[in-house]
Amino acid sequence: MAGRLLMVGHVVRFHPVFQRLCEIVAEGRIGQVRHLISNRMGLGRFPSMDVVWDLAPHDLSLVLHLAGEHPDTVICHRRTVLSDETDIADIILEFPNGIGAEIHVSRVSPYRDRRFSVIGTEGMLTFDDLAPEGEKLALYAHKVRRAGATFDFDNAPAAFLPTEPGLPLDRELRHFLDCVMTRTEPETGASEAVETVRILSLASPLSSPDLTA
């Protein structure tokens, strides 16, 4: 493998809406990131494999990218509902930097949901892949503050943010070609692939229902 480049096909990482979300987070517009929520739910796709391995890899890629490090705790709750394999799973991740994450995957949901949310100290962002164009990226200027012995909050309406057009797969392939030409490490390289498989293994039904890494 000397001199070779390895890139994993985590295509959602190259979605222009997700990439714009990451830019806004980096700009500090929602303050310090505290929690990540990813939903990938719908009806259908019943391969002979656990739903964690079937649906969660892309969500893990998004979470790992924004968290910026590997989780030190992985907990998974699973349930077989209508097939012979796990149909619903909730994966809970905790990172050394204090960020938490939850990934919800289901192939027996009566509705489709493809939302990724970032909860910050000064606001929240949601990437809704099923929303119409122009409404896929929403900024909520929600704020929670201490009020004596309790807490108070500001509930702000959604502010839809403009994003660049473009197909995620096209952007992913262009990134790989650029890495080949410049001999630079891909954004979704070997280290991310290894960490994704490690987390999937910890969350797999071959182990006990609740696991701590």
Side-chain angles (χ1 to χ4, degrees), residues 15-34:
H15 197 298
V17 177
F18 177 74
Q19 293 185 329
R20 180 57 185 143
L21 177 148
C22 293
E23 292 173 355
I24 294 171
V25 170
E27 292 167 2
R29 292 180 61 179
I30 63 169
Q32 182 182 3
V33 175
R34 299 295 299 150

Side-chain angles (χ1 to χ4, degrees), residues 129-145:
D129 202 17
L130 300 182
E133 292 298 329
E135 298 181 9
K136 291 184 179 293
L137 182 58
L139 171 65
Y140 298 86
H142 301 331
K143 290 185 179 180
V144 178
R145 59 186 177 277

Side-chain angles (χ1 to χ4, degrees), residues 171-190:
R171 296 166 73 101
E172 179 185 50
L173 294 176
R174 291 180 183 276
H175 174 70
F176 179 63
L177 290 175
D178 182 67
C179 290
V180 172
M181 296 296 294
T182 60
R183 310 306 299 172
T184 55
E185 181 69 17
E187 288 190 25
T188 55

Side-chain angles (χ1 to χ4, degrees), residues 81-98:
V81 181
L82 298 177
S83 73
D84 295 329
E85 299 285 347
T86 299
D87 295 315
I88 298 174
D90 297 310
I91 304 171
I92 308 300
L93 306 173
E94 295 179 6
F95 295 85
N97 58 12

Side-chain angles (χ1 to χ4, degrees), residues 9-15 18 36-45 50-63 86-91 102-117 126-130 168 200:
H10 289 158
V11 66
V12 186
R13 279 277 298 279
F14 298 90
H15 197 298
F18 177 74
L36 308 170
I37 306 171
S38 189
N39 295 327
R40 188 170 299 274
M41 305 165 66
L43 179 64
R45 282 185 55 87
D50 181 85
V51 71
V52 170
W53 289 88
D54 184 28
L55 298 183
H58 289 298
D59 304 273
L60 278 172
S61 175
L62 305 185
V63 166
T86 299
D87 295 315
I88 298 174
D90 297 310
I91 304 171
E102 51 189 288
I103 297 173
H104 308 286
V105 289
S106 172
R107 55 191 176 204
V108 292
S109 172
Y111 57 87
R112 296 183 68 208
D113 190 352
R114 298 287 187 276
R115 284 179 293 180
F116 184 88
S117 299
T126 292
F127 161 31
D128 186 349
D129 202 17
L130 300 182
L200 292 173

Side-chain angles (χ1 to χ4, degrees), residues 66-84:
L66 275 170
E69 57 184 13
H70 297 173
D72 53 13
T73 301
V74 179
I75 299 173
C76 183
H77 300 281
R78 305 176 302 273
R79 183 171 177 81
T80 298
V81 181
L82 298 177
S83 73
D84 295 329

